[in-house]
Amino acid sequence: MEKTNVMRVLDQKKIEYKAHTYADTDAISGAEVAAVLGQDPDMVFKTLVTVGSPNKYYVFIIPVCRELDLKKAAKAVGEKKIEMIKSKELLPLTGYIHGGCSPIGMKKFFPTAIHTTAQDFNTIMFSAGKIGYQVELPLSSLQKVIRLQITDLCV
């Protein structure tokens, strides 16, 4: 399996993780990825990037089968209102493309929050920074790599 930037960051910081690939499948949605990998979709997370007041960006990590509550998310980061960034803005802003966005290894660090249910699992999975690749690790390990708050973010 090829190493992604996310895996290299984790290796550099000596953080153990389990790499998964679904590159040889037709899986597109998070639910499909979870099914192909034989994982509980509640422990597989997606990374969403939003914008608040002019040019203030925020990252939210939520279970793949859930929907981000924009009001809860805005409140969590102290904004009146936030909205999803446009797909075409994702790559220049983060260095990742839609479907391969990871909270680890973005071009720049943005305030980040993860949904409370991440605490319910021994490990969580999220994109390894490239479509077809996921990493699995404990929430505590993710917290060693990026600062994040744990809060209720879903509808």
Side-chain angles (χ1 to χ4, degrees):
M1 178 185 305
E2 80 177 75
K3 290 264 184 186
T4 67
N5 283 342
V6 171
M7 293 174 197
R8 284 190 277 280
V9 167
L10 292 170
D11 289 344
Q12 226 173 26
K13 297 192 180 287
K14 297 184 179 10
I15 292 177
E16 286 186 39
Y17 63 91
K18 188 173 178 187
H20 299 269
T21 185
Y22 60 95
D24 56 350
T25 73
D26 295 336
I28 296 172
S29 74
E32 292 169 337
V33 170
V36 164
L37 296 176
Q39 300 291 337
D40 176 347
D42 290 334
M43 62 89 65
V44 180
F45 285 71
K46 59 187 171 185
T47 305
L48 305 174
V49 183
T50 63
V51 62
S53 56
N55 300 323
K56 280 215 163 178
Y57 297 95
Y58 304 95
V59 175
F60 297 99
I61 309 163
I62 64 170
V64 294
C65 292
R66 302 283 299 270
E67 197 178 314
L68 181 65
D69 183 318
L70 292 172
K71 285 186 173 138
K72 287 180 183 177
K75 185 178 177 191
V77 295
E79 289 278 356
K80 280 189 167 81
K81 185 180 142 197
I82 60 166
E83 57 188 43
M84 297 300 298
I85 66 166
K86 292 174 179 49
S87 198
K88 68 178 188 214
E89 296 172 15
L90 190 62
L91 180 61
L93 183 69
T94 67
Y96 291 124
I97 61 168
H98 183 77
C101 188
S102 179
I104 298 173
M106 289 189 181
K107 286 181 172 180
K108 185 177 159 194
F109 177 78
F110 301 107
T112 303
I114 191 166
H115 188 60
T116 53
T117 57
Q119 299 171 105
D120 299 343
F121 301 96
N122 292 330
T123 59
I124 58 171
M125 278 178 61
F126 52 89
S127 175
K130 184 174 181 179
I131 293 175
Y133 298 87
Q134 298 270 302
V135 289
E136 178 181 354
L137 45 69
L139 176 59
S140 59
S141 294
L142 177 59
Q143 289 175 303
K144 290 176 184 169
V145 184
I146 58 168
R147 292 182 317 277
L148 51 81
Q149 64 170 308
I150 301 167
T151 189
D152 180 17
L153 297 169
C154 294
V155 174

